[in-house]
Structures are given as C-alpha cells and as structure tokens.
Amino acid sequence: MCEALKTQYQVSEEIGRGRFGTIYRCFDPLSNEPYACKVIDKSLLQDSTDRECLQNEPKFMTLLSPHPNIIGIYDVFEDDQYLSMVMDLCEPHTLFDRIVNGPIPEAQAAALMKTLLEGVAHCHRRGVAHRDIKPDNILFDSGENMKLADFGSAEWFGDGRSMSGVVGTPYYVAPEVVLGREYDEKVDVWSCGVILYIMLAGIPPFYGDSAAEIFEAVVRANLRFPSRIFRNVSPAAKDLLRKLISRDSSRRFSAEQALRHPWILTAAQSPHLTSESPLSQ
C-alpha cells in the first residue's frame, strides 16, 4: 500500500476483500479515530472500464460527502501500484445480511427505505447516479446509520446528459438498462423499489435460474403481488412499489417524489425498532 498512507494512519487488520482491493481497519494516531481503508491493487485492473471505475469512486464520494447516508471519504492516496481511500468504518454485515432471512415488518422496511431514498435523492441533487444500488452496497455504521457505498459504477448526469451502458446487478437493474437504451437517474429508483419488494415479500419481484432469465423477467416487468405473500402488506406499500417499479421510466417516481409518498411519511414515523428486530441483529 502507499507509503504516504502508512505515514498518516496506523493500518491494522484486514476486514474485507473485493475483486480488486482489500479493506483494512485503520486509525488516525492523532485522534485515535477508527476508519476503513480500501486499498486497490492497480495491477488487477483488467481494462479501461476497470480503470475508469477506480477513478470514479473517490471522485464521486468526495463530491457527495458529507451526508449521513453516504459513506464518507476522508483521504485518498495514490502511487504507481495502489490507490487507497480512507472512509467511514462500517459494520461487516450489509443490508443483504439483514433481509436474507425473509420479510421484515412494514414499519422497519419504511424506515430503511426512507433513509436509503434520502441518500439517493442527495446523489441525484448533486447530479450523480449510483447505477448499482443493491443490498450488498448498503452498509451500517456502529450507530446503526445506513450508508450507501461502492460508487465505482456511478455516472455524472448533472448537465442534462443521458447515460448508457449495461451496468448493475441482474435482480436490481432497470429494464431500460438491460435493453441497451439511454437512461436517466431513475434507474436508481427502480433498484430501490426492488429492494423494498424484497424487504416486504422475502423474494425478488423478477427472478430466473440464470442471469439471462432474470434479465428477461426484468424486461417484461410483470409486477405481481401474490396474495399468499402480500396478504399482510398494506395497499399504500403496494402503491409505492408500483410507482417505483414502473417499466415506463417517465411515469416512475423520482427519489424526491418517493420520499413524499404517504407510506413513507406515515409508516416511517412508527415507534422505534425493538431490540428483537432484524435491524439490530
């Protein structure tokens, strides 16, 4: 890792590993504040797309910081071999770990979705589309604050430009992306809708036995609410799902509109979560 990093921070144990990099716990020796340090080995980058992602992540994170629901970045170090980013330290478990065991109550889902949408709306106000929103990229700090992370696939749309390119993860990607069309920031809203569906139903709205089958289901966008699964889900929650998971992106809600939906405004104001809830496990 970069020598400059080691002179300013005390780097300790490894806490995570990705395709191109390793995440370490580190400390500022002056303040003793703990951070996470993501160290990316440039030799593992395979093409220009990988290299672009490498440069995108610190650029967009710096543009978006500080925000309570976006992972914060504090320092960037780079030499010929490594790029290192000092960021908020989060817990090892992601939103995926918290929802993988089945549906969660509406009040909890609404509180989580409100927080996620606030982070997404902040990105969009700054002209940044995340383009790979999924439960694995939604982290929590030690105070249970949600943090949207992993901006390697993010793109700038702030000057009115449209975006293109098949980016994202099969279950969560919007149909206009799969179809190879130009698209706007509402691809992130679709992904949020899919996450909300999974939180309430315990299963994704569109699925298949392979990536190709999942993409086919996404393009059809035949949104259903099986009575056996949704019998205890409120009409207001299903109404919001229809507005988030709309195949027609011109009719799809923006993140700001979703935050004003009655289900978000009322359900998210429910009493605080109990210690038995999936959020605190």
Side-chain angles (χ1 to χ4, degrees):
M1 59 188 69
C2 306
E3 288 301 318
L5 166 69
K6 292 189 284 188
T7 61
Q8 293 190 40
Y9 292 89
Q10 180 180 338
V11 181
S12 56
E13 75 271 19
E14 177 183 325
I15 57 175
R17 188 174 286 266
R19 189 157 61 109
F20 300 126
T22 306
I23 301 174
Y24 299 91
R25 186 187 301 270
C26 69
F27 298 88
D28 182 334
L30 298 178
S31 66
N32 207 34
E33 280 289 317
Y35 297 98
C37 179
K38 186 174 184 178
V39 179
I40 297 170
D41 184 346
K42 294 182 182 180
S43 68
L44 299 177
L45 305 178
Q46 297 173 344
D47 53 34
S48 60
T49 302
D50 290 344
R51 288 188 287 275
E52 185 178 357
C53 290
L54 173 74
Q55 298 302 324
N56 276 350
E57 189 164 24
K59 177 177 68 177
F60 287 125
M61 288 175 67
T62 301
L63 175 64
L64 296 168
S65 292
H67 187 274
N69 306 122
I70 305 288
I71 194 162
I73 186 167
Y74 302 96
D75 265 318
V76 180
F77 302 93
E78 186 171 10
D79 59 21
D80 291 340
Q81 189 172 359
Y82 297 103
L83 179 117
S84 303
M85 295 176 284
V86 178
M87 306 180 295
D88 283 326
L89 178 65
C90 289
E91 297 296 303
H93 298 298
T94 68
L95 179 62
F96 178 84
D97 298 302
R98 300 180 180 210
I99 66 176
V100 70
N101 292 322
I104 63 175
E106 278 195 39
Q108 295 175 19
L112 284 166
M113 188 51 49
K114 179 175 185 289
T115 308
L116 175 58
L117 286 166
E118 285 171 345
V120 172
H122 173 72
C123 293
H124 293 176
R125 285 192 295 268
R126 293 292 178 92
V128 177
H130 185 285
R131 300 202 302 172
D132 193 20
I133 293 176
K134 57 184 176 181
D136 317 59
N137 288 337
I138 299 169
L139 312 179
F140 297 87
D141 66 15
S142 59
E144 290 294 312
N145 301 299
M146 178 189 283
K147 304 281 187 180
L148 181 58
D150 198 348
F151 285 83
S153 298
E155 183 61 274
W156 168 256
F157 69 89
D159 53 6
R161 74 175 73 175
S162 59
M163 295 171 282
S164 61
V166 180
V167 178
T169 302
Y171 284 116
Y172 308 97
V173 70
E176 59 267 33
V177 177
V178 178
L179 289 168
R181 298 173 180 166
E182 292 190 336
Y183 50 84
D184 61 19
E185 73 278 9
K186 288 184 181 179
V187 296
D188 288 344
V189 177
W190 173 282
S191 302
C192 291
V194 173
I195 291 171
L196 177 57
Y197 190 104
I198 293 170
M199 286 196 286
L200 295 173
I203 59 172
F206 314 112
Y207 47 87
D209 293 330
S210 65
E213 288 185 9
I214 296 168
F215 285 146
E216 287 175 10
V218 166
V219 169
R220 286 195 300 272
N222 185 13
L223 184 63
R224 294 177 176 175
F225 301 112
S227 56
R228 179 178 58 84
I229 296 172
F230 278 86
R231 63 181 179 273
N232 295 321
V233 176
S234 70
K238 288 184 275 192
D239 180 70
L240 178 58
L241 284 168
R242 290 188 189 96
K243 290 176 166 64
L244 299 177
I245 312 175
S246 169
R247 191 177 190 276
D248 182 352
S249 63
S250 68
R251 301 178 64 181
R252 190 181 306 154
F253 263 16
S254 67
E256 298 277 8
Q257 286 176 304
L259 283 166
R260 296 193 296 269
H261 189 275
W263 185 77
I264 291 288
L265 293 175
T266 57
Q269 294 170 357
S270 296
H272 291 298
L273 304 174
T274 66
S275 59
E276 287 81 26
S277 80
L279 290 178
S280 54
Q281 290 176 0

